[in-house]
Amino acid sequence: MIDNLSHLQQTDKYKFPKTPTGIKGLDEITGGGLPTGRPALICGGPGCGKTLMSIEFIVRGATEYNEPGVFLAFEEKVEELEMNVASLGFDLKKLQADKLVKIDHVHIERSEIEETGEYDLDGLFIRLGYAIDSIGAKRVVLDTLENLFSGLSNQAILRSELRRLFHWLKEKGVTAIITGERGEKELTRQGLEEYVSDCVILLEHRVANQISTRLLRVVKYRGSMHGTNEYPFLIDEEGISVLPVTSLQLTSEVSSERLPSGIESLDKMLEGKGFYRGSSILVSGTAGTGKTSIAASFANKACTDNKKCVYLAFEESPKQIIRNMKSIGFDLGKHVDSGMLEFHAFRPTVYGLEMHLVAIHKIIRKFDPQVVILDPITNLVTVGSISEVKAMLIRLIDFLQEKQITVMFTALTLNSFVSEQTDEGVSSLVDAWLLVRDIELNGERNRGMYIMKSRGMKHSNQVREFVISDEGLNLVDVYLGPEGVIVGSAREAQMLHEETGLALRGHALNRKNREILRKKKVLEAQIANLQTEFESVEEELNKGYMEEELKKEIFERNRNEITNIRRGIDGSGESKNSPQSK
């Protein structure tokens, strides 16, 4: 069954008053807390956290909500309780001195509450009522109920006294928690408390494959909607943290902002911009292909751009990662010192999958990063099945998308059924998938990178050679030869061969150009000679024509003179017989 907690909180917060517990995640599951002025039952086996959860309810109420509380213990003494919770940062002595908390240890003897064969709780009511009135308590815890009714076998009297106790607590108007031990067949040993309680919370401590997991389930909540799944919870130095299942309706907001990968040539394959903010990225490949280097490059770029990053390492220690990344030009240590980068390294077997999820949630909520890296997720298979790992990652991705946090996973790929299934299962969840593979050629091992998918953006479908050097990471174009992709020294040789070919072609081209120039000059000389010869012939032809014209002109002039002489006209045009001539 899938919980929709965001919808639960919106629809349930106007029903009836609730008292917030202050326990991370529990108020979200219950839609605001425990029912105000009503009793709630917390039951479970030994070591599951009943006492700790109830005392944190009292402490959080006193310190965060200004609601004093009474803790009535039937097993542990006051000094023992103070010592047990001091490691969580709870100073019960100070709270008692400030009149915010009242802790009372009640040693139950059957003879003290049994009179003339009847079971009587009036003495307890007087003692508890005095404690409540002395500090004006709003919260009450009775830990544990079994000691109060130990040795009583009459079910009718037991049921009557239980109802009487719960009714008395309601009349006092206090929000109460009653803890009870888990029964063999029922939720509690008596099998009655869960029926008279308004809210019942079951805690379990399971151990599977030598890994322990604590789980919480709200069995019932009268008059209120509530989460019905089993929720893992973590007990650490800060108290209890419950991991609620977030809404899985795929309604998270999305962003068009892009985050660079830290590898410029990779960004060029992604429209030159990088990954979407709030997206999930998977980098998979065999051992030694550079998955951690890609993750470190992404973290380094994010921190350089003033974006906080959490690096969750499941294989290497932070110091080892920082040392190794210096060899390729990434100084992650300075980002740790500046507070922009935070490492958390642990073996997957330290927790179960659910506890890992709780721990990651807590780290993210506390540090509030913009980028998260998990390196590698395939190690989680050692503490759960493939389907369980996938279910955990779905919940983690959903949580990160809701907060618009960009996450990068690395995954080890092997030639095995398990790794193939893990790769295929996880790759369907993420928004972008980078695959780095070994390319063996000419006795060399080189790397090739493929962008298998990148949702919502154009991306290159070409293979790039992935080069790791002391100057960082780079992707270079591969060469396609007759036998396929050429990388490494073969690529260098091909490049040299092409450069040599270009030089030879250039030399041949220059020689041809010189030959053409020489031929051009010869032809131009021949054309000049022909032009000169043509001009000579033309001049010779023109010479004969001009001589003929000149002869014709002279002949015509002489003929005219002779004609004039015959007519008696001299050269001046006058007749020789004219009077003037005489």
Side-chain angles (χ1 to χ4, degrees), residues 7 73 135 189 198 309 342 402 409 411 416 425 436 511 559 565:
H7 175 71
I135 62 172
R189 289 183 180 178
D198 290 277
C309 175
E342 187 173 281
E402 183 181 352
F409 305 105
S416 66
V436 187
R511 186 182 54 167
R559 188 175 64 80
I565 293 172

Side-chain angles (χ1 to χ4, degrees), residues 68 77 87 115 154 162 174 244 254 285 297 304 333 346 366 421 513 527 531 538:
K77 296 181 180 180
S87 61
E115 298 178 359
N154 191 321
L162 276 174
V174 294
V254 296
S297 175
T304 303
F346 37 79
K366 184 177 180 180
Q421 290 296 313
N513 288 337
I527 292 172
Q531 183 70 30
E538 183 181 27

Side-chain angles (χ1 to χ4, degrees), residues 295-309:
S297 175
F298 189 42
N300 180 70
K301 180 60 176 176
C303 295
T304 303
D305 294 341
N306 294 321
K307 291 180 173 59
K308 296 170 70 175
C309 175

